[in-house]
Amino acid sequence: MSKKNLVAQGLASLKAENAQRASRVPRAADANRDPALPTQYQPAEAPAVAPTLVPPAFETSVLDGLDAAKQVETLEAAYWDADRAEVRSFQLAKMRGSVLKGELLQLLLDRKAYEHRGLTAGDYAESLGIKRQYIYELINASKDIRALAPLIEETSTPVVAAQAAVLAPLYKADPEAAGLVLQAAKDTGKLSAASLTEAARDLGLLPRAVAAPARKAALPAPASSADATARLAFADAYKALAPKRIEQLLQEDPEAALKQVEAIEAEITKVQRRVDAAKAAARKATGVKA
């Protein structure tokens, strides 16, 4: 075989091998390109598949051949899979956002970004659309989640800030125990800060909450006749006769102010008469002379 034919055969063999490798394993766009080969012998690049945000419709063909009960069972299983995927996606997005924002806020504070903007720390927080305290909450959350990174990766379980706050100190003390707590909380079907705390208590890693003793309602002290008089006769009148209020009324309508004061005085007089009558009856009943 001539040298020319040998080269052509070798190039053809390389081309076939590259094409076969590209069909077996998905790689980067230029992963299969050999710079030593001419362009015409490079494997064809696989067409890029654009990712979609909206998921494809449920493939109903999986229900073919199933009886009605099995179809319902299959659909319900798919529903709960979607539900778990939704929660997981939210947790993952929330976790990633908390970590990145918290770490960036720490860097911004370290560089006194608010001073560069001519603002106080509080005003700078408002310019970011958050409260100043929330800056430190995000920073602490990012530290907790970073500390839990090995556990999160090992269990493929994203956690949000409140959950990380429970797990981080447990993980620092005993990573294996923290993993047991996480699994126990997941087994309840609802991963939350509360379920993590309860699991830690069940495993003896956190003390049980001690219920505060019920407080007895204090009995109201018996009111004296003077207290009753003050409450009944003067409570509303005292507020209505506040100097600032009277001053405002006089500026708006002096005649109306006078009528209001006279009406209050008349009511007080009526109440005072009843107070006097009640006192007289009470003295008579107790034999006390006026």
Side-chain angles (χ1 to χ4, degrees):
M1 183 179 293
S2 68
K3 182 177 180 181
K4 182 178 180 180
N5 289 338
L6 285 172
V7 171
Q9 184 177 349
L11 290 175
S13 176
L14 285 172
K15 180 179 179 181
E17 182 182 347
N18 283 334
Q20 185 178 12
R21 188 188 305 120
S23 66
R24 286 200 309 266
V25 182
R27 295 172 179 265
D30 60 349
N32 293 320
R33 298 185 67 84
D34 187 344
L37 294 178
T39 302
Q40 64 267 29
Y41 294 111
Q42 296 289 353
E45 294 182 4
V49 179
T52 60
L53 295 178
V54 179
F58 177 77
E59 185 54 66
T60 56
S61 62
V62 300
L63 303 176
D64 294 345
L66 301 179
D67 59 30
K70 194 63 177 176
Q71 288 186 14
V72 169
E73 182 181 337
T74 302
L75 290 170
E76 286 179 341
Y79 170 83
W80 289 116
D81 284 343
D83 185 70
R84 284 188 291 271
E86 179 185 31
V87 172
R88 178 181 171 81
S89 297
F90 169 78
Q91 293 243 129
L92 180 59
K94 189 72 173 174
M95 181 185 74
R96 291 175 61 85
S98 294
V99 171
L100 295 175
K101 290 196 295 185
E103 291 177 344
L104 288 169
L105 286 170
Q106 181 68 73
L107 292 171
L108 285 167
L109 287 186
D110 292 343
R111 287 158 179 75
K112 300 188 183 301
Y114 49 92
E115 292 184 357
H116 288 279
R117 296 285 181 266
L119 301 170
T120 64
D123 291 337
Y124 184 69
E126 289 186 8
S127 73
L128 298 176
I130 57 179
K131 294 185 180 297
R132 180 176 180 177
Q133 182 59 33
Y134 189 51
I135 288 180
Y136 301 103
E137 291 176 6
L138 278 171
I139 289 174
N140 290 334
S142 68
K143 292 178 180 177
D144 286 342
I145 295 171
R146 279 292 181 203
L148 290 169
L151 179 62
I152 292 170
E153 298 296 342
E154 179 184 352
T155 61
S156 298
T157 306
V159 295
V160 295
Q163 298 162 6
V166 177
L167 277 175
L170 298 175
Y171 186 79
K172 182 178 180 180
D174 188 340
E176 186 176 352
L180 294 175
V181 169
L182 178 58
Q183 186 58 52
K186 289 170 65 177
D187 289 344
T188 65
K190 183 174 178 59
L191 179 61
S192 65
S195 65
L196 286 167
T197 301
E198 188 62 26
R201 287 171 176 164
D202 289 342
L203 292 171
L205 300 175
L206 287 177
R208 284 283 174 190
V210 179
R215 297 179 61 183
K216 295 182 179 179
L219 295 175
S224 66
S225 59
D227 290 338
T229 302
R231 283 198 300 273
L232 294 173
F234 303 114
D236 294 334
Y238 186 81
K239 294 178 182 178
L241 294 172
K244 289 288 185 183
R245 181 180 177 84
I246 295 299
E247 181 179 347
Q248 182 179 358
L249 288 175
L250 290 174
Q251 292 176 354
E252 295 174 355
D253 190 342
E255 292 185 3
L258 179 60
K259 290 180 180 178
Q260 180 174 327
V261 172
E262 288 177 343
I264 292 173
E265 183 182 23
E267 288 300 316
I268 292 176
T269 300
K270 292 177 184 177
V271 173
Q272 189 61 53
R273 288 173 182 167
R274 292 197 173 186
V275 169
D276 292 341
K279 281 184 179 179
R283 286 172 180 151
K284 183 177 180 180
T286 58
V288 178
K289 294 182 180 180

